[in-house]
Amino acid sequence: MSGAFDRKLRDVRRRWSVNILLEQLALMAMLAGTATALAVLTERALALRFVAGWHLAAGGAIAAVAAAGLWLRRRPSPIQAALLLDERLATRERFSTALAVARSEDPFAAAACEEAHRAAEDVRLGKHFPVCFTRRWLWAAAAWTAFAACLLLPEMDLFGHGAERAQLQKKAQELAQAKAQVVEKIAPIQSRIEQLGDKALAEDLASLDDLDKSLQADDLKRQAIRKLSDLDKKLSELQQAPEVQAVQELESMLRRLKGDRGDLDQQLTHALAAGDFDKAGKILEDLKDRLEAGKLTQEQREALARQLENLARQMAELAADKKALEDALKQAGCDSKLANLSPDQLRKALKDAGLSEEQIKKIMDKAQAQQIAQMKCKSLGKSLGKCAGGLCEGTGAGAAGEMAGTLEELDNLEAMKDRMKLVKATQEEIDAAIALLGQGQCAGGLCQGNGPGNPNGPPQQAWGNRDTGGDEPTNTAKTGVANQDTEEGPIVASTYVKGPQIKGTSKRDYQAVVAAAKDRAAEAVSENKVPRQYQSAVKDYFDEMGDAGK
């Protein structure tokens, strides 16, 4: 009988504990739903965002732990279960008394326990101790329903802070995008600067990492554009250096090289005349290998010797020619004979002629570049002459050794050309970076950015439909004003138009006008006032004008 009593008592405790747990869970669910609904309502009212998904997960975990803690504290003890059993079954403390005196040896206590054990066999707990949900679950459901309703509310932004925060977030995003854009466009430029091996340029480019990160996106881009423009200017100065211009002067000299029908390899002369030092070096190296291997006949060796000797003689003549400097002096209005003066004498003569410092510097740089080009041309000619001499002496090994020295000179010239190409490619990268970073920046009254009508398209000036006039008929009429004839006065404005010349109407020598205009255009090109992609077109235009006037 003791078994039935204990089972019924445990069953009462279990059912009571489950009801307590459900009640605590309902309480926590109601509190969590109310707090979450209030948080979402606050978000909608103030246009804030402070509730995240992990907040809900963390809140649910805390509510579950709190419910478990309260349940552990409020679980019924065996004596409490016995008292509740007496209360629900109206047994007049029969079960609680039996439990209290279970260890007593008193006959009365033993009789009470025996009676309680017999009564426990007939007890049905399902009706008196049901497991059920309380009204708190209705309040919990109402709280979470309110939370769901709050999710559907629009943002009200009662105090206007939401718009301000959105604007700040937008600016922060734009600034981050601008930083990423600057870094993206600097990367290829940095690679080319590293190939140039110029520490000063590398340091200037590294200064872009020190941009003021507190600026707005447009200001950050403008700051990057200024630094890139300064770098482009330094690269332009590097291109205008006499050592660099000397290679161009040398190419101009070598264009006048002429071959002979008796030459062994016409391609060698053509490559040198075209300024393709790499190709000329490969051709000469092939001739050197054939010479060392004994694959050249005596007749071929003699033909090669004549060709190299002819090239050496032509280069010696070209090295003594100062036509380019003479032309520059003529364009400046000076005597071409000044080209024969020493640098100090030339500078003094130009200053005495009244030329500006800028003009003097331009001519002096031209003279220095030509002098360097003449030295290189003379050195290359001497090297080719030594190769020819070795062939004439009949010592193939000696000629091959001299060719090795010539190949080294050609490699140095090609390296300088490659450096010039790398500088130009770097400038093109800078131009592309400036163009991209400049999108959306206003310049000259035209804001080159994406507008509302074309958010992803190219820069536009305006969008939208325009009002047009009616269908009224229109016509033109010739009108004029009777002016009083006056004496001929000075010309207040004039323009030059490309076209056929009419005899008797020219007021100024055509060639002089073209020369002056060409000089101004060349100056604009050298100072980067003409965009790089249009420089060749400008040069061709003025060359064509000069040819038309001949």
Side-chain angles (χ1 to χ4, degrees):
M1 289 190 299
S2 62
F5 180 81
D6 292 338
R7 285 197 305 273
K8 294 298 170 63
L9 195 60
R10 285 197 301 271
D11 196 9
V12 170
R13 290 186 63 197
R14 187 182 305 113
R15 287 172 176 270
W16 193 0
S17 296
V18 170
N19 283 330
I20 292 175
L21 178 61
L22 290 175
E23 188 174 3
Q24 301 309 314
L25 288 175
L27 175 62
M28 293 298 109
M30 180 183 65
L31 293 177
T34 303
T36 307
L38 291 175
V40 173
L41 181 62
T42 304
E43 278 191 342
R44 295 294 188 268
L46 303 180
L48 291 172
R49 284 291 180 273
F50 55 83
V51 177
W54 70 270
H55 291 154
L56 296 177
I62 293 172
V65 171
L70 291 174
W71 171 72
L72 289 173
R73 288 186 60 187
R74 296 183 181 182
R75 280 191 310 168
S77 62
I79 190 63
Q80 288 177 326
L83 289 172
L84 183 62
L85 190 60
D86 288 334
E87 181 182 349
R88 296 274 179 96
L89 298 179
T91 56
R92 298 181 181 179
E93 289 76 34
R94 183 179 301 171
F95 291 99
S96 57
T97 301
L99 184 64
V101 299
R103 299 179 181 275
S104 176
E105 296 180 356
D106 185 79
F108 175 78
C113 288
E114 183 178 358
E115 183 183 5
H117 291 169
R118 282 197 304 269
E121 293 180 354
D122 300 328
V123 173
R124 300 291 181 266
L125 300 178
K127 178 180 179 181
H128 299 284
F129 297 93
V131 176
C132 59
F133 293 92
T134 63
R135 290 184 179 180
R136 283 186 178 179
W137 285 101
L138 296 177
W139 288 107
W144 285 102
T145 302
F147 162 72
C150 291
L151 291 176
L152 301 177
L153 292 176
E155 289 188 352
M156 293 172 278
D157 194 11
L158 298 179
F159 301 104
H161 297 310
E164 183 179 352
R165 279 189 296 273
Q167 187 68 19
L168 291 175
Q169 291 177 356
K170 182 180 178 182
K171 289 182 179 180
Q173 291 176 354
E174 291 176 350
L175 183 59
Q177 290 176 356
K179 293 176 185 176
Q181 204 173 37
V182 170
V183 171
E184 178 185 1
K185 301 314 294 183
I186 287 175
I189 299 174
Q190 187 173 10
S191 175
R192 295 189 183 276
I193 292 294
E194 289 175 356
Q195 293 178 30
L196 283 173
D198 193 313
K199 292 184 178 180
L201 293 176
E203 290 176 357
D204 289 338
L205 185 63
S207 66
L208 284 169
D209 296 333
D210 300 329
L211 294 175
D212 190 354
K213 303 301 189 297
S214 63
L215 297 174
Q216 294 185 356
D218 289 344
D219 294 333
L220 183 72
K221 288 183 179 181
R222 278 192 285 268
Q223 195 176 82
I225 288 172
R226 282 195 296 269
K227 289 184 177 291
L228 287 174
S229 299
D230 294 339
L231 183 62
D232 184 66
K233 185 177 180 181
K234 292 182 179 180
L235 287 171
S236 298
E237 293 174 355
L238 185 63
Q239 262 194 325
Q240 297 301 322
E243 295 79 6
V244 178
Q245 294 296 319
V247 179
Q248 297 179 353
E249 292 290 340
L250 179 60
E251 290 179 337
S252 179
M253 290 179 181
L254 295 180
R255 288 193 191 101
R256 289 181 276 171
L257 288 176
K258 296 179 181 179
D260 188 67
R261 292 184 179 179
D263 291 345
L264 176 64
D265 196 331
Q266 292 279 355
Q267 291 185 354
L268 175 60
T269 304
H270 293 159
L272 288 171
D276 192 346
F277 303 117
D278 183 50
K279 183 178 180 181
K282 291 178 180 178
I283 294 172
L284 198 60
E285 187 173 6
D286 180 62
L287 290 172
K288 172 177 170 291
D289 293 340
R290 290 166 62 189
L291 182 62
E292 290 177 338
K295 295 181 180 181
L296 293 180
T297 63
Q298 182 63 28
E299 184 180 352
Q300 290 176 329
R301 291 173 60 181
E302 291 175 358
L304 179 58
R306 286 193 302 270
Q307 181 180 1
L308 297 179
E309 186 177 358
N310 181 35
L311 288 173
R313 178 183 54 79
Q314 291 186 67
M315 288 183 181
E317 293 174 357
L318 293 174
D321 190 5
K322 298 183 178 181
K323 185 178 180 301
L325 181 56
E326 291 174 353
D327 291 342
L329 289 169
K330 286 181 181 179
Q331 288 185 2
C334 299
D335 190 352
S336 60
K337 295 180 180 179
L338 296 178
N340 298 318
L341 299 178
S342 66
D344 293 337
Q345 292 173 339
L346 178 59
R347 180 180 292 277
K348 185 177 183 304
L350 294 175
K351 190 172 183 180
D352 293 340
L355 271 65
S356 65
E357 287 296 329
E358 185 177 356
Q359 290 176 313
I360 293 174
K361 183 181 182 303
K362 183 178 178 182
I363 294 176
M364 294 303 298
D365 289 345
K366 184 80 171 179
Q368 187 177 356
Q370 181 171 318
Q371 184 179 7
I372 297 173
Q374 287 173 334
M375 292 173 60
K376 291 184 180 295
C377 185
K378 187 176 180 179
S379 175
L380 185 59
K382 282 184 177 181
S383 182
L384 291 173
K386 290 180 180 180
C387 293
L391 287 168
C392 292
E393 293 174 1
T395 56
E402 293 296 342
M403 283 185 181
T406 307
L407 288 172
E408 185 177 354
E409 289 196 38
L410 290 174
D411 288 342
N412 291 335
L413 291 173
E414 185 63 27
M416 292 187 69
K417 279 192 64 177
D418 290 341
R419 182 175 175 81
M420 289 172 57
K421 291 178 182 178
L422 186 58
V423 169
K424 187 175 181 181
T426 305
Q427 287 186 296
E428 290 174 354
E429 290 283 357
I430 291 175
D431 289 344
I434 290 176
L436 181 61
L437 295 175
Q439 288 183 1
Q441 309 294 327
C442 292
L446 177 61
C447 190
Q448 297 183 351
N450 295 328
N454 190 10
N456 299 317
Q460 301 288 336
Q461 185 171 4
W463 298 268
N465 297 324
R466 274 79 167 170
D467 294 334
T468 58
D471 297 331
E472 294 83 358
T474 59
N475 203 346
T476 59
K478 293 183 178 180
T479 60
V481 178
N483 294 327
Q484 184 179 358
D485 293 338
T486 59
E487 295 182 359
E488 185 177 357
I491 298 175
V492 295
S494 64
T495 184
Y496 297 105
V497 180
K498 180 181 177 182
Q501 298 187 61
I502 302 174
K503 185 177 180 180
T505 60
S506 178
K507 300 296 184 181
R508 186 176 179 184
D509 182 69
Y510 180 81
Q511 289 295 332
V513 173
V514 173
K518 188 175 180 180
D519 186 50
R520 289 195 297 271
E523 184 178 353
V525 169
S526 65
E527 295 178 357
N528 288 328
K529 294 180 180 178
V530 178
R532 190 168 291 106
Q533 61 268 32
Y534 303 131
Q535 291 179 3
S536 59
V538 171
K539 293 177 182 178
D540 294 341
Y541 174 77
F542 284 102
D543 289 341
E544 188 178 348
M545 284 186 67
D547 295 338
K550 293 181 180 178

